[in-house]
């Protein structure tokens, strides 16, 4: 049928179509053709008619919150959908790297510089992603001294790129606020901003102040 040609419907047909407007379009068309022998009408014609008339089907076309997909838990038949040879050919395979991932990949043992200026080493290829890299100074310090105790961290005594354990001191995390510097009301030199020759003094003052505070609390 040429596009745009007027399709007449009788009053009885329109009454039936409006009454059954909530049917799924394929069933709607099949039932209409069977009822009125209208082989000249397609499912697309009925869909367009339903829209022109403003007949609501009761469906929004959206998933309601909490509604499960009809195909949830169902596998495609062999050779169809996700099991079609063309689909299988382009599907991701565990351990496979393609495109940009190949260019960005770094092998275990590779090192990089973090945005804060620390050397990091890749220690594995597993998940999660953020666990793949670890600070080199932590690796070398723990190799010499054992795991960093809970509530403690390592503070650099000089050059951040020097990962020798002797260049890192184990301190309580409670000291970190005192090493972060002052604010607009209290001007204190931050440990990381201090020249290397002043860092031991800044650290010593922070330890004394922290010890005094702990003593007042006890």
């Amino acid at each position: 049928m040429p596009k745009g040609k007027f399709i007449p419907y009788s009053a009885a047909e329109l009454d039936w179509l409006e009454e059954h407007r909530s049917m799924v379009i394929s069933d709607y068309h099949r039932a209409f053709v069977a009822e009125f022998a209208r082989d000249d009408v397609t499912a697309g014609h009925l869909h367009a008619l339903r829209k022109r008339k403003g007949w609501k089907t009761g469906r929004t076309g959206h998933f309601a919150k909490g509604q499960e997909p009809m195909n949830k838990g169902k596998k495609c038949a062999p050779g169809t959908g996700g099991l079609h040879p063309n689909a299988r050919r382009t599907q991701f395979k565990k351990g496979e790297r393609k495109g940009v991932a190949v260019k960005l990949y770094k092998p275990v043992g590779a090192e990089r510089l973090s945005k804060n200026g620390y050397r990091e080493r890749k220690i594995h290829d597993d998940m999660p992603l953020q666990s793949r890299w670890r600070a080199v100074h932590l690796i070398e310090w723990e190799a010499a001294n054992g795991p960093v105790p809970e509530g403690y961290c390592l503070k650099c005594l000089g050059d951040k790129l020097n990962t020798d354990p002797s260049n890192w001191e184990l301190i309580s995390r409670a000291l970190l606020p005192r090493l972060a510097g002052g604010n607009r009301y209290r001007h204190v030199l931050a440990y990381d901003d201090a020249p290397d020759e002043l860092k031991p003094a800044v650290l010593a003052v922070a330890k004394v102040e922290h010890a005094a505070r702990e003593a007042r609390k006890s």
Side-chain angles (χ1 to χ4, degrees), residues 159-178:
D159 183 4
K160 288 181 180 178
L161 297 179
N162 180 0
T163 59
D164 189 280
S166 63
N167 188 43
W168 297 82
E169 181 168 338
L170 183 70
I171 66 169
S172 168
R173 288 189 173 275
L175 279 179
L176 293 179
R178 298 183 182 281

Side-chain angles (χ1 to χ4, degrees), residues 184-200:
R184 59 178 177 170
Y185 304 111
R186 183 171 176 264
H187 300 286
V188 178
L189 181 63
Y191 180 84
D192 289 337
D193 295 336
D196 288 350
E197 60 272 20
L198 289 183
K199 286 185 174 177

Side-chain angles (χ1 to χ4, degrees), residues 110-186:
E111 292 192 3
R112 69 182 184 184
L113 203 60
S114 75
K115 62 182 179 181
N116 293 322
Y118 296 97
R119 282 173 57 194
E120 292 182 331
R121 183 177 297 158
K122 190 172 186 181
I123 56 176
H124 62 78
D125 272 329
D126 299 327
M127 300 298 281
L129 282 175
Q130 60 270 28
S131 71
R132 293 180 177 179
W133 296 83
R134 196 150 195 261
V136 177
H137 67 269
L138 266 173
I139 296 173
E140 296 188 0
W141 192 93
E142 290 187 338
N145 302 285
V148 173
E150 187 175 351
Y152 284 78
C153 63
L154 299 180
K155 201 64 181 173
C156 180
L157 300 175
D159 183 4
K160 288 181 180 178
L161 297 179
N162 180 0
T163 59
D164 189 280
S166 63
N167 188 43
W168 297 82
E169 181 168 338
L170 183 70
I171 66 169
S172 168
R173 288 189 173 275
L175 279 179
L176 293 179
R178 298 183 182 281
L179 299 176
N183 50 41
R184 59 178 177 170
Y185 304 111
R186 183 171 176 264

